[in-house]
Amino acid sequence: MRKFLLTEKDIPRQWYNILADMPNKPRPPLHPGTKEPITPDMLAPLFPQALIEQEVSAEKWIDIPDQVRDIYTMWRPTPLFRARNLEKLLDTPAKIYYKYEGVSPSGSHKPNTAVAQAYYNKMEGVRRITTETGAGQWGSALSFACQLFDLECEVYMVKISYEQKPYRKIMMQTWGAKVFASPTDRTEAGRKILAEDPNSPGSLGIAISEAIERAATDPDTKYSLGSVLNHVLLHQTVLGQEAVQQMEMAGDWPDIVIAPFGGGSNFAGLAFPFLRFKLEGKRDVRCIASEPASCPKLTKGVFRYDFGDTVGMTPLLPMYTLGHKFVPAPIHAGGLRYHGAGAIISQLIHDRIIEARAHDQIETFDAAVLFARAEGIIPAPEAAHAIATAIQEAKRCREEGTSRTILFNLCGHGHFDLKAYQDYFEGKLQPHALSDEEIQQLIAQIDTPEIA
Amino acid sequence: MRKFLLTEKDIPRQWYNILADMPNKPRPPLHPGTKEPITPDMLAPLFPQALIEQEVSAEKWIDIPDQVRDIYTMWRPTPLFRARNLEKLLDTPAKIYYKYEGVSPSGSHKPNTAVAQAYYNKMEGVRRITTETGAGQWGSALSFACQLFDLECEVYMVKISYEQKPYRKIMMQTWGAKVFASPTDRTEAGRKILAEDPNSPGSLGIAISEAIERAATDPDTKYSLGSVLNHVLLHQTVLGQEAVQQMEMAGDWPDIVIAPFGGGSNFAGLAFPFLRFKLEGKRDVRCIASEPASCPKLTKGVFRYDFGDTVGMTPLLPMYTLGHKFVPAPIHAGGLRYHGAGAIISQLIHDRIIEARAHDQIETFDAAVLFARAEGIIPAPEAAHAIATAIQEAKRCREEGTSRTILFNLCGHGHFDLKAYQDYFEGKLQPHALSDEEIQQLIAQIDTPEIA
């Protein structure tokens, strides 16, 4: 068998909340001013009540609303493949499987949480959701979700991406979203930036500020984030729970589970439902988060409190971070260009329950092209990080003469990233790995609270 | 249920050859010089023997080789969806289903035949396959297929598309193909054009001439076509046979089957396996081919012998045609810009066993955007023609207060066509429908043999 397919009735009915099973819970978020633990009501201007409850919930299983599950059936369950051609090409005794989330409408795992978030906002009478987006993966997922619930969607898209990557913008517009090149003159934050530099190319930090400001100043409007937060990671576990069932169909169990790492939702989605068996003491599994060597917060960052945004407006979260002012190199895996890791993931790394590995950009494109030629799917640059780790592990199996079962998350297709492939073929890609000196300098500049 | 999924074992083991069931067989192709029926050996320089045999076979069922079927499992069986959201939006009593071929590696139904053609070429020791491509749907499918069989693939891509639509070109290169901007200086045909006009933007006719010349003059090289011919239509029936099983799963049977129409393979793929039941006298079904009003060969063309290419090098085929010198308007549905219809389809239209309907470009994009907002998938402009027909029929059900079951072929996604959507949103799209006067003029110019 090459492909393991479930039916609609196999789509999970609950999300898995790993918080319930963690031996050490993450430290609480702190108020940016007082440095005291924040209370849930402080988040009320930004998020609907149901999502705030999920953010702090310690319940192990949280029901997926029927309407969300019904929308999931538009693309879920997604297929799980055995990468037979890739195994042959690598001449490895390893068995390689991948879960493919690129079959979703926007082409990645992001709609799993976008639909849930849109649903809860709609239930609480919200009219409009704002968000930021860089290259557009998250913005397009949320546009799709808002369209289904007849919610307005305002996307603040980093201006340079808005101009250079028009396809994702058109996709968002096709789904009825309003897309603005950030900085705009629609917000205080945007106007301030434009006053200083009318030609500002924008940044994710600025776009976040604009989206948050809109939500904070309009009672009909809430804000939505595509990763990092607990409730976002929670929603993605639908994909890993499917993968558990599919590995059972295959009569197999992964020794190693691998996923790309940006803010954590991609990794959490695949790995947490497998980690559950480890935390329950039932089955062992190694889980590896694959990050870019240009933004190696898990492998080279420090574990301390830091802000979620560049400006320093959000609560302080306990995270592995390179510092909230760090601006990663312009790698093509835009979804992995984030300075810190979510609180749950950071605690799991700190407790050595999961591992991380970094790859430079060229290595990830070597892996992506090898994969595309073997398996026929052109991966998103983010997904290519997990492929690079999987190939390393498969080669190790060959060298050691041992067979292991490897599973990775092919979180999306690369149909909107072909310019990156062209750069690769033309030898224009840079590796962008940070040196140890650069890392030390970054860490030395961090002035947020240490973790006691 | 929203989605009807089969398993690997349900992938058909044979292709269905409708020729066996047709009450009137198509007239034979004629030699372009002698105007006498051609013999199979005249095709030997261009195609492997196995494909020539399929081209003339009258066997009802033709076995799918195990290796081809194994590759089909990379993306087959493809899903069949009930368009519940679209039904609700149209407030129609009709039930609307669609078969979705966009999950294939190159994003359309084209790999169904590309893989089969590459396989037979490989079996007969061919080293290299040439083909032409316009916007790149077919070229990318064949590149993918050749990659899997370690065959060289040379794609002659119309120069203006090569320059204006770089993404498909990069996709072909990712799969290891050599892509040339046609006209090239690699062939006599290309050099002749370049001598006359060094800045020629190219055309599909020129690209065909280049690809055929390469195959005709090199014993290691064969030529491949993505539609029109009998063996190409045959290979696509794998998709319609799956759809028959899926409609059975749904406990339903289509009153109307609809597919986009370019050269015939898209339509044949979905419709022929349903038409079989009609030709066998078991169940009735209406089958509608959806074509562009800018290239209305089925609805407005004449039934006579005509060439398959612009220059007039191919055998004369009995077809509905607008004349082989007709250059269709530059609509975004590049796959439907072909002057004639394959011989089998033309005979079925002539015998009133199937129907056709034409839509102007703006109507098809109205339908595409409505569909994308309801169902979440952004359709290829070709697929939008079938959607437009399906919506017409669903609205008719509403007006008449009757329920009918409608099935259409969503043959591919529009991820590489978002520029067309942008043009639509910006009001820059042209309808491009041909007037009756223009049609009369075109037909008056045709000087190829009439059908006795």
Side-chain angles (χ1 to χ4, degrees), chain B residues 10-80:
Chain B
D10 303 314
I11 298 174
R13 297 183 180 277
Q14 297 179 308
W15 292 300
Y16 168 58
N17 183 7
I18 200 171
L19 214 65
D21 287 331
M22 289 171 71
N24 300 310
K25 315 299 178 196
R27 274 78 164 177
L30 305 182
H31 188 281
T34 66
K35 309 284 195 293
E36 293 297 316
I38 61 162
T39 53
D41 59 288
M42 291 178 183
L43 299 171
L46 296 185
F47 302 107
Q49 201 54 38
L51 291 177
I52 295 171
E53 282 166 21
Q54 290 180 1
E55 185 64 22
V56 299
S57 172
E59 292 294 316
K60 183 160 177 169
W61 298 101
I62 294 178
D63 287 344
I64 302 177
D66 286 345
Q67 210 178 333
V68 171
R69 201 169 166 280
D70 180 58
I71 292 174
Y72 279 168
T73 67
M74 292 175 74
W75 72 96
R76 309 212 67 83
T78 63
L80 183 137

Side-chain angles (χ1 to χ4, degrees), chain B residues 314-361:
Chain B
T314 72
L316 287 154
L317 296 172
M319 50 165 63
Y320 275 84
T321 181
L322 296 165
H324 62 280
K325 289 178 186 153
F326 171 55
V327 180
I331 57 168
H332 287 283
L336 310 186
R337 295 178 66 232
Y338 188 71
H339 67 277
I344 289 176
I345 300 278
S346 295
Q347 188 66 46
L348 291 169
I349 284 275
H350 190 67
D351 291 344
R352 297 171 190 270
I353 292 169
I354 61 173
E355 307 167 37
R357 191 169 303 172
H359 301 279
D360 83 42
Q361 179 163 251

Side-chain angles (χ1 to χ4, degrees), chain A residues 375-417:
Chain A
E375 296 293 318
I377 299 171
I378 296 180
E382 290 83 359
H385 288 70
I387 301 172
T389 304
I391 289 175
Q392 271 188 348
E393 291 296 323
K395 284 182 175 169
R396 177 134 54 126
C397 287
R398 184 178 64 199
E399 285 155 19
E400 296 176 0
T402 55
S403 172
R404 289 191 198 93
T405 298
I406 299 167
L407 167 66
F408 70 89
N409 196 12
L410 188 70
C411 57
H413 61 65
H415 296 171
F416 301 100
D417 304 286

Side-chain angles (χ1 to χ4, degrees), chain A residues 125-391:
Chain A
V126 174
R127 268 190 47 216
R128 183 185 299 110
I129 302 181
T130 64
T131 199
E132 71 287 334
T133 202
Q137 280 272 18
W138 168 243
S140 54
L142 191 67
S143 303
F144 159 70
C146 286
Q147 169 67 31
L148 294 176
F149 287 103
D150 199 20
L151 286 163
E152 287 180 37
C153 185
E154 272 187 20
V155 182
Y156 292 84
M157 186 173 186
V158 176
K159 192 194 273 175
I160 191 161
S161 294
Y162 183 94
E163 287 166 356
Q164 290 182 352
K165 301 189 173 180
Y167 274 27
R168 282 268 173 205
K169 172 185 69 189
I170 304 164
M171 197 176 200
M172 293 184 247
Q173 290 168 337
T174 302
W175 285 322
K178 289 183 183 142
V179 188
F180 302 101
S182 168
T184 74
D185 59 3
R186 298 170 56 82
T187 65
E188 283 292 329
R191 286 190 292 271
K192 190 167 161 239
I193 300 285
L194 288 173
E196 288 165 12
D197 177 7
N199 297 317
S200 164
S203 74
L204 210 49
I206 297 167
I208 293 177
S209 302
E210 292 207 275
I212 288 184
E213 182 186 320
R214 282 282 290 148
T217 57
D218 179 348
D220 285 342
T221 303
K222 300 282 182 196
Y223 169 72
S224 172
L225 195 67
S227 190
V228 179
L229 298 179
N230 298 357
H231 69 273
V232 185
L233 274 56
L234 174 79
H235 300 154
Q236 291 295 352
T237 60
V238 65
L239 85 90
Q241 291 182 71
E242 285 179 9
V244 168
Q245 295 180 69
Q246 288 164 310
M247 290 305 296
E248 280 167 6
M249 273 179 84
D252 222 332
W253 177 261
D255 299 298
I256 308 172
V257 172
I258 301 163
F261 195 86
S265 79
N266 189 329
F267 176 82
L270 184 63
F272 286 3
F274 287 95
L275 269 180
R276 171 167 83 84
F277 290 84
K278 178 174 174 145
L279 296 175
E280 288 175 347
K282 288 179 181 158
R283 299 195 78 154
D284 200 20
V285 65
R286 282 177 64 199
C287 294
I288 308 177
S290 304
E291 65 180 6
S294 56
C295 191
K297 59 236 180 196
L298 295 179
T299 51
K300 302 272 182 84
V302 285
F303 184 46
R304 68 192 291 164
Y305 274 105
D306 202 359
F307 295 107
D309 67 328
T310 310
V311 185
M313 289 168 62
T314 71
L316 288 154
L317 297 170
M319 50 164 63
Y320 276 85
T321 181
L322 297 165
H324 62 281
K325 288 177 187 155
F326 173 57
V327 180
I331 57 168
H332 287 284
L336 310 187
R337 295 178 67 232
Y338 187 69
H339 67 278
I344 290 176
I345 300 279
S346 295
Q347 189 64 46
L348 292 169
I349 284 274
H350 189 66
D351 292 342
R352 296 171 190 272
I353 292 170
I354 61 172
E355 307 165 39
R357 192 170 301 173
H359 301 278
D360 82 41
Q361 179 163 251
I362 290 172
E363 186 187 358
T364 65
F365 274 87
D366 289 343
V369 170
L370 191 72
F371 181 84
R373 290 184 178 173
E375 296 293 318
I377 299 171
I378 296 180
E382 290 83 359
H385 288 70
I387 301 172
T389 304
I391 289 175

Side-chain angles (χ1 to χ4, degrees), chain B residues 24 107 113 117 141 205 247 263 316 323 372 375 384 418:
Chain B
N24 300 310
T113 184
Q117 292 190 46
M247 291 305 296
L316 287 154
E375 297 292 319
L418 285 170

